């Protein structure tokens, strides 16, 4: 009797396994196609990194700004509260300077600088605005611009100061005509030095008479 070979039928794979494999493949494909590229990431706002690095944020900037504003207001208040030297006070200070020892170091230099500053300040007054006064003021400014240099002669500064005083006198102070002319004459005689007792005496005489003239010029005309 012939043998009959019976071959076992291979079992088909489970359909659920195929479904799981298909889901895994879809997930992998979706990951590679849908993931965000680094170039597509939004750029952080400028300054964010610096603020994070230093630990300072918008609140810190606001605090610093408020502190700066408070300091500025305090400085403005202190400046406004500081008393300003009036023209009469400046003239009195000039008179006191002229009365000091003419043999003292820098006596003539300090006196000329103070005189020039007071005269230039007076030219800002409305009643002393005049082309001639402006020209004489510029001459004085130029003549005293190099007073800090060693061995500089003070004579050009004295002459320019006398010229400005006379220009102011001619503009609004007729009663000062004689005093202004005397100052112009005296300034022309000065050596501009303080080497001798005669030089020192002449410097003091000029500064004293100039201070007296400035005291009158400091009072506005009526």
């Amino acid at each position: 009797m012939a043998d009959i070979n019976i071959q076992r039928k291979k079992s088909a794979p489970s359909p659920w396994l195929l479904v799981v494999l298909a889901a895994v493949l879809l997930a992998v494909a979706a990951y590679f196609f849908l993931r965000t590229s680094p170039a597509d990431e939004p750029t952080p706002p400028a300054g964010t990194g610096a603020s994070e690095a230093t630990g300072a944020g918008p609140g810190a900037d606001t605090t610093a700004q408020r502190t700066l504003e408070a300091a500025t207001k305090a400085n403005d208040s202190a400046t406004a509260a500081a008393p300003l030297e009036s023209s009469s006070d400046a003239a009195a200070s000039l008179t006191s300077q002229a009365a000091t020892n003419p043999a003292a170091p820098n006596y003539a230099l300090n006196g000329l600088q103070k005189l020039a500053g007071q005269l230039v300040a007076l030219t800002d007054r409305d009643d002393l605005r005049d082309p001639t006064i402006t020209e004489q003021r510029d001459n004085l400014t130029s003549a005293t611009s190099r007073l800090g240099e060693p061995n500089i002669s003070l004579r050009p500064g004295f002459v320019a100061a006398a010229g400005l005083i006379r220009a102011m006198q001619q503009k609004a102070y007729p009663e000062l005509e004689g005093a202004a002319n005397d100052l112009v004459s005296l300034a022309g005689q000065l050596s501009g030095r303080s080497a001798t007792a005669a030089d020192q005496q002449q410097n003091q005489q000029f500064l004293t008479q100039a201070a007296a003239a400035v005291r009158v010029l400091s009072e506005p005309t009526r």
Side-chain angles (χ1 to χ4, degrees), residues 59-140:
D61 294 339
T62 303
T63 302
Q65 183 177 0
R66 289 177 179 174
T67 302
L68 178 60
E69 291 176 354
T72 302
K73 290 180 180 179
N75 183 57
D76 292 342
S77 299
T79 302
L84 298 177
E85 186 178 33
S86 65
S87 297
S88 58
D89 292 338
S93 176
L94 182 61
T95 301
S96 299
Q97 168 70 26
T100 59
N101 183 10
N106 296 327
Y107 166 85
L109 173 61
N110 294 336
L112 177 57
Q113 288 178 326
K114 184 169 292 189
L115 172 62
Q118 177 63 7
L119 291 175
V120 170
L122 289 175
T123 61
D124 290 333
R125 281 189 359 216
D126 292 337
D127 60 328
L128 293 177
R129 294 186 185 277
D130 182 84
T132 302
I133 292 177
T134 301
E135 180 182 358
Q136 293 296 330
R137 179 202 63 192
D138 294 342
N139 291 340
L140 176 59

Side-chain angles (χ1 to χ4, degrees), residues 2-3 21 38 42 55 66 88 121 135-136 141 158 166 178 183 195-196 203:
D3 294 333
L21 290 175
R66 289 177 179 174
S88 58
E135 180 182 358
Q136 293 296 330
T141 302
F158 285 131
R166 183 166 63 177
L183 278 172
T196 66
N203 292 337

Side-chain angles (χ1 to χ4, degrees), residues 162 166 176-189 206 209:
R166 183 166 63 177
L176 278 179
E177 181 178 0
N181 291 335
D182 288 344
L183 278 172
V184 172
S185 176
L186 181 57
Q189 301 173 16
F206 177 87
Q209 293 182 205

Side-chain angles (χ1 to χ4, degrees), residues 41-59:
E41 294 181 357
T43 303
T48 303
S51 299
E52 293 178 354
T54 58

